[in-house]
Amino acid sequence: MKRSTTIRPNCFAIPTGIVRSFVVLFFLTLSSGAFAQLKEKIDSLHTAFVQAEADSAKCDILTQIAEEYRFINSDSSIAYVNKAKEIAQTLQSDYMDVDIAILNAIVLYEKGDYDNSIRLLKEIDPLATKLGDKGYLLKMYQTYGNSYGLSNDHRQAIEYELKALDYAKELKDSMAMANLYINIGSDFHYIKEYAKGIEYCGNARQIYEKLGQDFYQGFALNNMSNYSNHLNDYQKALDYATEATQYWNEDNNERLMGYLYHNFGEAYKGLKNYSQSEKYYQKSIAIRQKNEDPKDRIITSNELAELYIAWNKLPNAYVIAEANYHLAKEKDFTREEQQSAELLATIHEKQGNLTQAVKYLKISQQLKDSLQSQEQAKEVLRLETKYETAEKENLILQQRAKITDHQLALKNRSLWIFGLTALAVIIGLIGFLLYKQQVLKNIKQQKDNELKLALEKIETQNKLQEQRLSISRDLHDNIGAHLTFIISSIDTLKQFMANRDQKLSDRLGNMSSFAKETIRELRDTIWAMNRPCISIADLKLRTANFIESANKATTHTTLSFADKVENDKDLLFNSKTGMNIYRILQEAVNNALKHAEATRISISFARQGDMLQMQVEDNGKGFDTLEMYDGNGLQNMRNRAEALGGTLHITSEKGHTRVIFRFPLQEMSDKQNDTAT
C-alpha cells in the first residue's frame, strides 16, 4: 500500500514558498526574518501607492501588494486584486485585465479554490491568446496546470503544462522550465507513469544544478526517490534520497525532511532492512507530529504499521493502525480512515480474530465506495464469508464467478449504451447540421427580402424627393416670378398715383405688402420641400434669419433669440413637421409684432428631457386670454401643435405675454419616416 510523498513546487513562488495538497503540496512557514522583510516591502508599496498619481501606476502597485500577500494571507491578496480590478476597469487596458485575472487565478488555486481558478482562466484565455504576450501565456498555462493538477485532473494538467513549457523555452526562463518539469513529473506519477515522472524530474534537477538552486534539487531528488519506490527499484530510491540529504537537513528544512525520511523508510522496507525502515518512519512521524500535520502523520504511521505487519510485530501494528483510524475519523480524512481500517482488518485476520477482521474490512469497503463512487456490496459479502467454515468455500467461488459475470455483463451493457449513445449523437449532429443549414438559408432569404424592401423604400423616397424638387422649382420659377412681376407693377403704379389718389396709393401699398408676404411664405415652403428632413439646427438658422429680417423691418421693436439646445444636428424631423414647428413660431412672433405694441420680443429654444420647448415672450400691452377670441392665427397654431402631439400654452398680462409650445422629441422621431413616406 504505497502512498505518495511527491512534492510539487509552486511555479510562481519565491524560493521559500511551496504549495500543499494531499500529495504533500504546502506553503513553508516563513522565517521571522523573511516575514519582516516581506512586511517592510509591503509597507513601502503602500507608501508608493499613496504617492502615485496615475491610475495605471496605482493599479500596478496594487497587483504587486497582492503578489506579496500571497505568502502570508491569501484573503488580503484577493482583496488587493479586487481593488486593482476596480481601477483597471477605468483604464480599459487589455494587458492590465489579463495580468490581474491571472494573478487572481493564482491566488484562488493557492487558496484551494481550484474550480474558480480554472473558471477565471477560461474567461480570460481568449483575450490573453489574442494579445499573444508569451509571458502572460506562460503564467496562464502554468496556472491551468497547477489548478487541474491539484483538482486531480492530471491528464488535463499535463496538457497545459506542456504548452507552458514551450513558452518557457522560448523565453529562456530556466526556473520556470525546471518547475514545470517537476510538476509534469508529479502529474505523470499520479497516472502511474512513474518512469516518465523520473525522467521529467531528472530534467528539472539538471536545470536546478546549473542555476545553483540546491534547495530545489532536493525537491527533484525527493520525488525521484518516491517514483522509484513505486517501481520497486528500492536501491535507486535509496540513492536518490541519500543524495537529497546534501541539500536538505532538519536545521533548515525540517518540514521537508519528513517527506524525505518517509521515502527512506519505504526504500529500506522494500530492501527488507526493517530496522532501518522503522528508524526513518519514526523520524518522519516525529516531524509531522511537531509541525501538526495530522494527515501526513497518519500516512507515514500507516506505512510503519505495514512494516510491523511484514515484520510480524502485530501488536505494534495494531496500536498504530487503531490510533490512526480514530484520528482520521475525527479529522474526517476519509481516505486515511479507509486505509487504517484496511490495516486493522489485515491485523485481525492474521491474529485469527475473524469477527473483527470482517468488521474493519466492511468499514474499509464502505469508505472505499464513498471515495470511488462504485458499488462494492457484493464484494463485501464475499469478503465477509471468507473467514467462515470450509463448507462455504464453494459458495465463495460461485459468488466470485457471479461477480465476474456481472461485471462482464455491465461492461458489455456499457459498450452497447456507449455505441447507441454515439449513434444517437451522430444522428443528432447530422439533424442539427441540416437544421442549422435550413435556418441559415431562411435567415439569408429574410435578409434578401429586407434588402429588397429597403431598396424599394429608398427608390420611393428618391422619387418623392425628385417630385418635391420639381414642384419647388416650378413654384420658384413660375409663381415666384409672377409674384415678383406683380410686386414690381404695383410699385410702379403706386409711384405714378402717389400724388393723385392717396387712398388708391395706400391700397396699392397693401397689395404690394401682401404679395411680398406671399413670396416669403412661398420661399419658406420651398425651403421645407427641398429637404428630406429638417434638424433643430436648420430651424434655429431659419428662425435667426426671420428675426434678422424682422429687426430690419421694425424700428420700435427689438427681437432676440436664445438657443439652449445641444447636439441639435442629431434631432431630425421630416419637412412637414419642421414646417409646422416653424409656422407656429412665425405666427407667434407676427402676432406680437402686429398687436402687442411691444419694444422687446425674445424667442428661445430649450430641451427638457424628451421634450423640446419653444417660447416667445414680449413686453407688450397683453390681452385677456379668457375673453380673447381665437382668430385664424391662434387656431392654426393650436391645430399645428395638436398635429405634432404637443401643447400650446398662452399666458398674458399687461406688460408680459408668453407663448410656450412643447412637444415630445421621441414621438417626432418615431413619426418622421412614416410622415416623410
Side-chain angles (χ1 to χ4, degrees):
M1 185 174 9
K2 291 189 181 71
R3 297 168 186 85
S4 263
T5 54
T6 300
I7 300 179
R8 178 189 188 109
N10 178 359
C11 293
F12 309 110
I14 59 174
T16 54
I18 301 171
V19 181
R20 181 186 189 277
S21 79
F22 166 63
V23 193
V24 292
L25 303 168
F26 61 88
F27 277 114
L28 290 175
T29 304
L30 290 174
S31 68
S32 59
F35 184 84
Q37 291 178 356
L38 200 56
K39 186 68 170 61
E40 184 179 347
K41 186 173 182 181
I42 290 173
D43 290 341
S44 67
L45 287 170
H46 276 292
T47 303
F49 176 79
V50 173
Q51 295 173 349
E53 296 181 358
D55 285 344
S56 58
K58 290 182 177 180
C59 194
D60 183 58
I61 294 169
L62 286 172
T63 58
Q64 292 181 55
I65 296 173
E67 282 273 10
E68 300 303 326
Y69 266 115
R70 282 175 47 210
F71 306 108
I72 53 177
N73 190 316
S74 59
D75 290 333
S76 296
S77 182
I78 290 175
Y80 281 100
V81 167
N82 291 333
K83 288 181 181 180
K85 275 185 189 177
E86 292 177 6
I87 297 176
Q89 287 175 353
T90 64
L91 297 175
Q92 296 182 341
S93 168
D94 290 342
Y95 287 95
M96 190 70 73
D97 291 342
V98 169
D99 189 33
I100 293 172
I102 293 174
L103 175 58
N104 197 359
I106 293 170
V107 177
L108 285 172
Y109 93 70
E110 288 176 346
K111 193 179 179 183
D113 192 353
Y114 311 127
D115 291 340
N116 277 323
S117 175
I118 293 168
R119 176 190 58 76
L120 195 58
L121 290 171
K122 286 183 177 179
E123 289 176 1
I124 205 66
D125 194 327
L127 180 57
T129 304
K130 178 182 175 183
L131 294 177
D133 185 285
K134 294 178 182 178
Y136 285 143
L137 291 171
L138 168 59
K139 289 176 67 176
M140 182 178 73
Y141 288 133
Q142 283 178 318
T143 311
Y144 264 128
N146 279 317
S147 296
Y148 276 116
L150 294 171
S151 58
N152 295 321
D153 191 348
H154 299 289
R155 296 187 185 277
Q156 192 73 29
I158 290 171
E159 180 181 336
Y160 282 108
E161 285 161 350
L162 289 174
K163 289 181 181 180
L165 185 60
D166 288 338
Y167 284 111
K169 289 177 179 178
E170 287 187 46
L171 294 169
K172 295 181 172 55
D173 189 338
S174 299
M175 194 64 184
M177 288 168 56
N179 288 338
L180 282 163
Y181 278 131
I182 286 281
N183 287 350
I184 294 169
S186 172
D187 289 311
F188 271 122
H189 126 270
Y190 275 108
I191 59 175
K192 303 189 185 307
E193 297 268 358
Y194 303 118
K196 285 189 177 180
I198 293 173
E199 176 188 345
Y200 277 92
C201 285
N203 292 339
R205 193 264 174 110
Q206 291 177 8
I207 296 175
Y208 289 142
E209 188 174 13
K210 289 180 181 178
L211 296 175
Q213 292 286 348
D214 293 344
F215 174 75
Y216 282 96
Q217 285 194 68
F219 274 113
L221 290 164
N222 175 82
N223 290 359
M224 292 163 75
S225 174
N226 175 41
Y227 306 158
S228 297
N229 276 328
H230 279 284
L231 290 172
N232 297 329
D233 191 351
Y234 300 114
Q235 186 57 53
K236 200 67 177 174
L238 196 59
D239 293 341
Y240 287 135
T242 302
E243 194 172 355
T245 58
Q246 298 177 27
Y247 311 109
W248 290 356
N249 57 64
E250 290 190 27
D251 292 333
N252 58 11
N253 294 302
E254 181 188 56
R255 206 166 189 179
L256 294 179
M257 289 301 292
Y259 300 101
L260 196 56
Y261 288 152
H262 182 108
N263 286 339
F264 269 115
E266 189 73 21
Y268 278 120
K269 182 170 65 176
L271 294 171
K272 310 298 184 185
N273 190 340
Y274 294 150
S275 59
Q276 282 293 93
S277 177
E278 178 187 35
K279 168 187 169 184
Y280 281 104
Y281 277 142
Q282 287 176 344
K283 280 188 173 185
S284 178
I285 292 167
I287 291 174
R288 271 78 189 274
Q289 180 75 32
K290 179 180 178 181
N291 287 282
E292 298 181 355
D293 291 333
K295 180 178 284 190
D296 293 330
R297 178 161 60 87
I298 293 172
I299 290 172
T300 304
S301 296
N302 279 340
E303 293 289 352
L304 179 58
E306 272 196 353
L307 169 67
Y308 284 140
I309 291 172
W311 206 354
N312 202 27
K313 293 186 176 183
L314 297 180
N316 294 356
Y318 176 78
V319 170
I320 293 172
E322 185 182 38
N324 285 346
Y325 173 75
H326 291 296
L327 179 59
K329 191 171 185 178
E330 176 189 341
K331 297 292 186 179
D332 199 24
F333 297 155
T334 307
R335 186 179 301 277
E336 287 67 32
E337 184 183 353
Q338 180 268 324
Q339 292 165 349
S340 301
E342 188 175 344
L343 285 171
L344 285 170
T346 302
I347 294 167
H348 282 300
E349 179 188 1
K350 288 183 176 295
Q351 290 176 334
N353 190 349
L354 301 184
T355 303
Q356 288 296 310
V358 171
K359 170 188 171 183
Y360 283 107
L361 196 60
K362 200 172 178 182
I363 293 171
S364 170
Q365 191 62 40
Q366 289 172 348
L367 292 169
K368 189 178 293 185
D369 286 344
S370 68
L371 286 170
Q372 300 176 353
S373 299
Q374 296 177 359
E375 184 179 356
Q376 298 290 339
K378 291 182 180 180
E379 182 69 5
V380 172
L381 290 173
R382 184 185 69 80
L383 294 173
E384 283 179 342
T385 60
K386 178 179 179 181
Y387 305 103
E388 294 182 3
T389 64
E391 290 138 6
K392 293 185 178 180
E393 287 186 2
N394 188 41
L395 180 61
I396 293 173
L397 293 174
Q398 292 177 9
Q399 195 74 7
R400 185 180 300 167
K402 286 182 180 180
I403 291 173
T404 303
D405 292 340
H406 181 63
Q407 289 176 340
L408 182 60
L410 288 175
K411 184 177 180 181
N412 291 334
R413 187 172 67 180
S414 298
L415 289 174
W416 271 103
I417 292 172
F418 176 76
L420 291 173
T421 303
L423 181 61
V425 169
I426 292 171
I427 294 172
L429 183 60
I430 293 172
F432 174 75
L433 292 175
L434 292 174
Y435 168 75
K436 195 70 175 177
Q437 186 178 9
Q438 185 62 40
V439 169
L440 292 174
K441 184 178 178 181
N442 292 342
I443 292 173
K444 184 178 181 300
Q445 186 175 358
Q446 182 180 355
K447 288 184 177 179
D448 290 342
N449 291 337
E450 290 175 354
L451 180 60
K452 184 178 179 181
L453 290 173
L455 291 173
E456 289 176 355
K457 186 174 181 180
I458 292 171
E459 185 178 355
T460 301
Q461 290 177 345
N462 289 338
K463 287 181 179 179
L464 287 173
Q465 185 62 19
E466 289 176 2
Q467 291 177 2
R468 288 194 189 99
L469 292 174
S470 177
I471 293 170
S472 66
R473 282 196 298 269
D474 290 341
L475 289 173
H476 182 273
D477 296 341
N478 296 327
I479 298 176
H482 292 166
L483 287 172
T484 302
F485 175 75
I486 291 171
I487 292 170
S488 178
S489 300
I490 290 173
D491 288 343
T492 302
L493 285 173
K494 182 180 176 183
Q495 291 176 3
F496 180 75
M497 299 296 296
N499 299 323
R500 299 183 182 182
D501 190 339
Q502 185 61 39
K503 186 176 180 180
L504 180 59
S505 178
D506 290 343
R507 182 161 296 189
L508 289 172
N510 290 336
M511 291 174 61
S512 176
S513 297
F514 181 77
K516 290 177 181 178
E517 181 65 25
T518 302
I519 286 179
R520 281 195 295 272
E521 296 285 343
L522 184 61
R523 286 174 179 169
D524 291 337
T525 302
I526 292 171
W527 168 76
M529 290 182 66
N530 281 340
R531 285 168 168 75
C533 58
I534 297 174
S535 68
I536 291 294
D538 295 331
L539 283 174
K540 291 192 290 191
L541 181 61
R542 195 73 181 174
T543 302
N545 291 337
F546 170 66
I547 291 172
E548 184 179 356
S549 299
N551 276 325
K552 290 179 180 178
T554 60
T555 57
H556 62 280
T557 304
T558 301
L559 286 87
S560 62
F561 178 48
D563 173 21
K564 301 177 182 178
V565 180
E566 298 179 355
N567 301 322
D568 50 15
K569 292 182 180 180
D570 297 333
L571 302 176
L572 301 176
F573 312 104
N574 60 65
S575 56
K576 182 178 178 181
T577 300
M579 196 61 194
N580 279 336
I581 296 170
Y582 178 68
R583 290 295 189 212
I584 292 172
L585 180 66
Q586 189 181 44
E587 183 67 27
V589 174
N590 283 335
N591 286 341
L593 288 171
K594 292 178 182 178
H595 307 298
E597 299 177 6
T599 60
R600 179 177 55 79
I601 301 174
S602 62
I603 301 99
S604 64
F605 283 11
R607 182 170 182 172
Q608 298 178 347
D610 292 332
M611 303 291 288
L612 181 67
Q613 175 176 299
M614 296 189 303
Q615 180 174 288
V616 179
E617 289 185 281
D618 67 69
N619 63 347
K621 62 184 181 180
F623 62 91
D624 189 341
T625 57
L626 297 177
E627 296 180 1
M628 182 67 182
Y629 171 72
D630 281 356
N632 288 334
L634 289 177
Q635 188 58 44
N636 286 341
M637 289 169 65
R638 294 187 190 279
N639 291 341
R640 291 181 191 274
E642 290 175 3
L644 296 176
T647 57
L648 186 73
H649 295 288
I650 302 174
T651 59
S652 181
E653 60 185 22
K654 187 174 182 180
H656 184 255
T657 298
R658 176 186 294 161
V659 178
I660 299 175
F661 169 47
R662 301 175 78 242
F663 63 92
L665 292 172
Q666 185 61 43
E667 185 176 344
M668 292 298 97
S669 178
D670 292 340
K671 291 182 178 180
Q672 178 184 333
N673 291 331
D674 297 338
T675 311
T677 303

